[in-house]
Amino acid sequence: MMNKSADPSSFETMRRAMVSSQLRTSAVDDTRVIEAMAVVPRERYVPAGVRDVCYRDTQLALCGGRFQNTPLATGRLINEAWLKKSDKVLLIGAASGYTAAVLALIVDKVVALEEDEALAGAAGAALTGIGNVELVTGPLNAGWNGGAPYNAIIVDGAVEKLPPEIIAQAAPGARISTGLVDRGVTRLAAGSKTEGGFGLFDFADSDCCILPGFAAPHGFRF
């Protein structure tokens, strides 16, 4: 008998269920985001051991202690970036490529940054043939200045503090969306860069994978 995880039709059914039960009911209202997540095969971008559960609203263990963000968190972060077709987007935390593949259907250019070599290798293989994604490797907390400025920056995970180096890579008027870690609770936030500066505003409490290298400096304590 064919293993369910090897049956493309079962994944298609799970993908439709994800869209209807997670995205459409949770303020993901950009039809382009919904349509992209309805066709990108998430199972292609995760390890074999978690493919059967890859459409559930849960983080997926990858490698090196990293996790694939939940579909809902990823969908809402993309939704709140207010993307335009002509945009060049910096994706921080490419993991094994799923979010880059979704963004590739929405915008003109995606620069997908990953620091873990094993994840970057998996992403490169999975993204083969998607011509508008540039996969780059380097520290996540440094962003990717080589492609700046960006029309939008999406951090597909939660951070304690967004470094000013990353904010500086956003073009004037750019939208930045990210997860935030606040005393152990993860939230989703977004903001626009203006001439007057930049600020993030929470828009939802959400399960969101925590990315390495973004810990806020802690003051000295006696």
Side-chain angles (χ1 to χ4, degrees), residues 30 114 130 160 172 181 222:
D30 187 330
E114 181 50 57
I130 302 180
E160 288 188 13
V181 186
F222 291 98

Side-chain angles (χ1 to χ4, degrees), residues 9-89:
S9 65
S10 68
F11 286 124
E12 185 176 349
T13 299
M14 289 187 284
R15 196 178 308 122
R16 289 198 300 266
M18 174 197 72
V19 169
S20 61
S21 66
Q22 296 179 46
L23 304 185
R24 293 186 182 278
T25 61
S26 303
V28 178
D29 54 11
D30 187 330
T31 57
R32 299 167 304 163
V33 179
I34 292 172
E35 289 169 359
M37 294 184 72
V39 298
V40 173
R42 187 172 168 88
E43 66 275 10
R44 181 185 299 173
Y45 298 91
V46 299
V50 296
R51 284 175 186 156
D52 284 348
V53 296
C54 70
Y55 289 102
R56 293 183 186 176
D57 186 24
T58 186
Q59 298 181 37
L60 302 174
L62 300 175
C63 63
R66 291 281 296 281
F67 290 83
Q68 177 68 52
N69 219 352
T70 70
L72 178 57
T74 294
R76 294 210 65 182
L77 288 169
I78 298 173
N79 194 85
E80 292 299 320
W82 303 348
L83 299 174
K84 299 176 182 177
K85 176 59 179 175
S86 59
D87 281 347
K88 177 168 66 172
V89 176

Side-chain angles (χ1 to χ4, degrees), residues 1-209:
M1 185 174 70
M2 179 180 289
N3 186 294
K4 182 179 179 182
S5 66
D7 181 0
S9 65
S10 68
F11 286 124
E12 185 176 349
T13 299
M14 289 187 284
R15 196 178 308 122
R16 289 198 300 266
M18 174 197 72
V19 169
S20 61
S21 66
Q22 296 179 46
L23 304 185
R24 293 186 182 278
T25 61
S26 303
V28 178
D29 54 11
D30 187 330
T31 57
R32 299 167 304 163
V33 179
I34 292 172
E35 289 169 359
M37 294 184 72
V39 298
V40 173
R42 187 172 168 88
E43 66 275 10
R44 181 185 299 173
Y45 298 91
V46 299
V50 296
R51 284 175 186 156
D52 284 348
V53 296
C54 70
Y55 289 102
R56 293 183 186 176
D57 186 24
T58 186
Q59 298 181 37
L60 302 174
L62 300 175
C63 63
R66 291 281 296 281
F67 290 83
Q68 177 68 52
N69 219 352
T70 70
L72 178 57
T74 294
R76 294 210 65 182
L77 288 169
I78 298 173
N79 194 85
E80 292 299 320
W82 303 348
L83 299 174
K84 299 176 182 177
K85 176 59 179 175
S86 59
D87 281 347
K88 177 168 66 172
V89 176
L90 173 63
L91 170 65
I92 296 177
S96 50
Y98 171 73
T99 304
V102 172
L103 288 169
L105 295 178
I106 301 172
V107 300
D108 181 63
K109 174 74 174 181
V110 181
V111 178
L113 173 64
E114 181 50 57
E115 68 178 22
D116 184 281
E117 291 185 4
L119 286 177
L127 291 165
T128 298
I130 302 180
N132 62 335
V133 174
E134 179 185 1
L135 182 66
V136 296
T137 56
L140 299 182
N141 60 13
W144 190 257
N145 197 52
Y150 301 98
N151 306 112
I153 297 176
I154 296 173
V155 183
D156 194 22
V159 305
E160 288 188 13
K161 181 178 175 59
L162 198 61
E165 294 86 352
I166 290 176
I167 298 171
Q169 294 168 19
R175 188 80 168 167
I176 301 177
S177 60
T178 182
L180 293 177
V181 186
D182 181 15
R183 289 170 289 186
V185 176
T186 54
R187 298 184 172 92
L188 306 182
S192 296
K193 183 179 178 180
T194 67
E195 292 183 0
F198 173 77
L200 285 170
F201 301 92
D202 299 353
F203 61 85
D205 290 352
S206 176
D207 182 22
C208 188
C209 66

